[in-house]
Each structure stands twice: as structure tokens, then as C-alpha cells.
Amino acid sequence: MIILNRLSHIFLIILFASCLMGQELVYETFKDRRVINNHSVETLPARKLDVRIGHRFGNLGGPNGGWTTFYGLENSTDILTGFEYGLTNALDIGIFRTKGSSELRQNINALLKAKLMGQNDLNNPITVTVMGMTSVSTMAKSSAEGVISSFPKEAHRLSFHTQLMLARKFSPLFSLQVHGGWTYRNLVYDEDTNDLVSAGLSARIQVTRVLGIILDGTFPFSGLRTIENGYYPALGIGFEFETGGGHVFQINLTNATGMSETDFIPYTTSNWSEGEFRLGFTISRLFNL
């Protein structure tokens, strides 16, 4: 927390200095603070509250999908409910509850997100944003030995993630983002490592005034997380509808079962080619406070 507090002070100083330059920023690189699985470079306007509900259903195909589960609609792999608030135009805080899709369930996720630099028409070609989050599992401790959910120490309930995002709005019709992330889990199995580095891409294609196509993917760099070991990058494609009045609705398909970075980056084991992808949606509503 001390590191996050210091970083937030640095972010605010940089933001204040950029504002003094009087440069006109490029807005709405993405319509929402998230793409599909990944965060976007966008932050909330000051004193805006984002109330967010997200859902991931079960597999459309594969052995656990099809008609038996009504193509996954009768199952849910993860559910997200929470709030995000704009302290300034470039600094957000948030807290979310997720069901969780890995061994760590009933997670409380807290985040801090800061925009360091905004794309403008003069000398800043990109928008730069950083995000840090902490996840804590509140599930009951397992009596089984040797599993992560046995939680030998209370600190083993904690996981962390930090991410740097770089994005450019090339035109009103197309935006592209790259990101790099670092995930740390306090307790892992012997064959795994606590640290996990990842990278990814996100894109948005504006189709009509209110409809956009969104795509993203996150690729962990780990000797364990290979296709041969049953792990896959989290890939998603979806549609985004802006209905007016601060309401954004997203519907997507993704092989990621979890909805927080500390869940879907280390633990995605669903294979698109075998029908192990699912329908998901996100509803976001903004309120003035």
C-alpha cells in the first residue's frame, strides 16, 4: 500500500504538469474502462461512479457444453459485481466481488488505476495508463492438505497484479492497445512460480455510431503455461453498444472462465478449437456523485 500511495502522488504530479501545457487530448480511445477481459487505458471522469455487473456462462461446446447445458447458459464460471469511482479525471479506485473460476473463490478485488499521459494532437502519440490490483479470497479454508485453498497462512489468500497499457486512437474508427503485466500469487503449487509475466493486445473497431467490435488477448510467459500442459491464452471477441445516458452494454465470446486478472491470466485452461468458449456480458452504468 505504501508503494501504491507513492505512485498515486507521482501520477497526480505528472497529470497536473500535462494539464498546464494546455494540449487538447484525444478522447474515447475505448468506450469503456475494460475491453473484454483486459482493462483499457480509459479512466472515469472525476466524481463519476461506475456500477458494473459482468457474467461468464459455461462452455458453448465441448464435453461440458451443447444442449445438455443449453450451450452453457445454464452454468456460470464467473460473476462480477462492483463499483469504480473517478477521484480525478485520471485516477480511479474500485472494488469488485468475483465468484472466481479457479481454486480461489469468493474474491474481493481492489484496484487503483491512473492515466499518466493522454494522446493529443501535438506531441503525445499515445495514451499511457497503469493499473494495480489486489485480490483476496474469502472462501472457507479447505481441510485437504497440499491444495492452494488450504491456506496455511492467511497471507496465502492474496494475489496481486500490476499492468502498463499503451494505446493509440488511429482514427474515429480504430483504436489499438498493447499492455504488459506482472502477476504475483502468494501460494502456488511446487511446479509453478509465484511470479507470472504477461503481455497482450486489445482493439476496437467502430462500426456505427453506437456499435463497436472489440477484441483482446493476453499471453502469459511461463514454462508451465503451454498448450502441452493444458493452458491457453485468454482470447475474446465481442460487441459493444452505447445506449446513451452513461450506459454501455457488452456481449462477448471468450475462452477465459475468470473475470479478474489474478484469475484468468494464470488459470485459463479452455481451448477455443474444442468449443470451450463461453458467452459473456457486461453492463456498466455511470452516476454523478
Side-chain angles (χ1 to χ4, degrees):
M1 289 304 297
I2 294 175
I3 295 175
L4 290 177
N5 287 334
R6 290 179 178 175
L7 285 175
S8 66
H9 293 158
I10 296 172
F11 300 159
L12 290 173
I13 292 171
I14 294 173
L15 174 66
F16 179 70
S18 65
C19 290
L20 290 179
M21 298 174 67
Q23 299 176 357
E24 185 175 352
L25 297 178
V26 174
Y27 292 100
E28 293 189 339
T29 304
F30 290 87
K31 290 286 186 181
D32 193 26
R33 270 67 58 198
R34 289 168 180 68
V35 188
I36 297 174
N37 298 309
N38 298 318
H39 276 259
S40 75
V41 291
E42 299 298 329
T43 53
L44 283 166
R47 299 182 299 278
K48 288 278 191 180
L49 177 70
D50 177 16
V51 179
R52 180 174 294 266
I53 298 173
H55 198 103
R56 293 285 188 271
F57 292 98
N59 290 344
L60 268 78
N64 297 317
W67 178 253
T68 303
T69 62
F70 199 40
Y71 302 96
L73 296 180
E74 294 176 349
N75 293 334
S76 66
T77 61
D78 205 359
I79 301 170
L80 176 149
T81 307
F83 309 91
E84 195 169 327
Y85 182 70
L87 295 174
T88 73
N89 289 335
L91 183 64
D92 292 356
I93 58 173
I95 185 164
F96 300 89
R97 158 76 180 231
T98 53
K99 172 186 173 182
S101 68
S102 65
E103 286 191 52
L104 300 180
R105 302 295 179 100
Q106 302 169 19
N107 301 309
I108 302 296
N109 311 281
L111 71 87
L112 175 69
K113 187 176 183 181
K115 184 179 294 184
L116 302 185
M117 183 176 71
Q119 180 183 343
N120 60 50
D121 296 331
L122 297 179
N123 58 3
N124 288 345
I126 60 174
T127 297
V128 180
T129 300
V130 295
M131 184 272 292
M133 66 170 291
T134 301
S135 296
V136 56
S137 172
T138 64
M139 67 185 292
K141 181 176 179 178
S142 173
S143 59
E145 295 184 1
V147 297
I148 291 177
S149 56
S150 64
F151 303 128
K153 298 179 181 179
E154 285 300 304
H156 291 155
R157 296 177 178 272
L158 292 168
S159 301
F160 308 90
H161 178 78
T162 185
Q163 187 165 301
L164 174 67
M165 294 158 277
L166 312 176
R168 177 172 174 80
K169 187 176 184 179
F170 289 90
S171 74
L173 301 180
F174 180 68
S175 298
L176 182 66
Q177 173 180 297
V178 297
H179 72 261
W182 172 72
T183 306
Y184 187 88
R185 295 158 294 147
N186 276 357
L187 183 63
V188 297
Y189 290 112
D190 291 339
E191 67 273 15
D192 204 350
T193 58
N194 299 88
D195 296 87
L196 182 60
V197 175
S198 59
L201 288 170
S202 301
R204 184 176 182 278
I205 304 168
Q206 190 72 19
V207 180
T208 69
R209 185 177 62 86
V210 298
L211 173 64
I213 298 174
I214 46 179
L215 309 99
D216 73 11
T218 299
F219 306 86
F221 299 105
S222 166
L224 173 66
R225 282 164 181 80
T226 64
I227 294 176
E228 290 74 19
N229 291 329
Y231 291 92
Y232 297 87
L235 305 174
I237 181 171
F239 296 94
E240 184 178 68
F241 305 89
E242 187 176 20
T243 60
H247 190 154
V248 176
F249 177 72
Q250 296 177 344
I251 186 167
N252 53 68
L253 295 173
T254 178
N255 65 322
T257 54
M259 297 189 69
S260 67
E261 282 78 2
T262 52
D263 197 337
F264 74 79
I265 293 177
Y267 302 117
T268 295
T269 58
S270 301
N271 185 359
W272 266 89
S273 65
E274 296 181 1
E276 296 174 341
F277 55 91
R278 70 214 71 263
L279 183 69
F281 69 83
T282 301
I283 299 174
S284 170
R285 185 70 168 87
L286 297 186
F287 296 90
N288 294 314
L289 290 184

